[in-house]
Amino acid sequence: MRTTLNIPDELLSTLKKVTGEKTKTKAICIAIDDYIRKKKIEKLISLSGKIKIDYDWKKMEELEI
């Protein structure tokens, strides 16, 4: 999808250097993917201790055998 964005040249140049990509598109895609992954991880971490899973792996293994 084609989109017009106003991204400062310095920011885009730094992004290309950090990602090691030669094209603006690839650098931006990597940055977006990384941001999404980090937000998902933060959301999972925030659930820590809030969900109780009663899972007895030994019992489940016995049932499979």
Side-chain angles (χ1 to χ4, degrees):
M1 170 174 54
R2 232 174 229 290
T3 304
T4 302
L5 301 170
N6 294 320
I7 301 172
D9 291 334
E10 185 178 314
L11 182 62
L12 196 50
S13 176
T14 303
L15 178 63
K16 286 171 57 178
K17 287 178 188 175
V18 169
T19 60
E21 292 297 331
K22 293 181 180 180
T23 67
K24 296 174 190 176
T25 301
K26 286 183 181 180
I28 291 171
C29 286
I30 288 171
I32 291 171
D33 286 340
D34 188 49
Y35 180 80
I36 291 169
R37 184 173 31 84
K38 286 180 181 180
K39 285 298 181 179
K40 286 181 178 182
I41 289 170
E42 286 175 10
K43 190 172 184 176
L44 286 173
I45 290 172
S46 73
L47 294 175
S48 178
K50 296 180 182 179
I51 299 174
K52 181 168 177 21
I53 299 174
D54 187 24
Y55 182 72
D56 186 358
W57 65 271
K58 288 181 182 178
K59 183 177 179 181
M60 296 303 284
E61 191 174 281
E62 288 174 5
L63 289 174
E64 287 181 7
I65 297 176

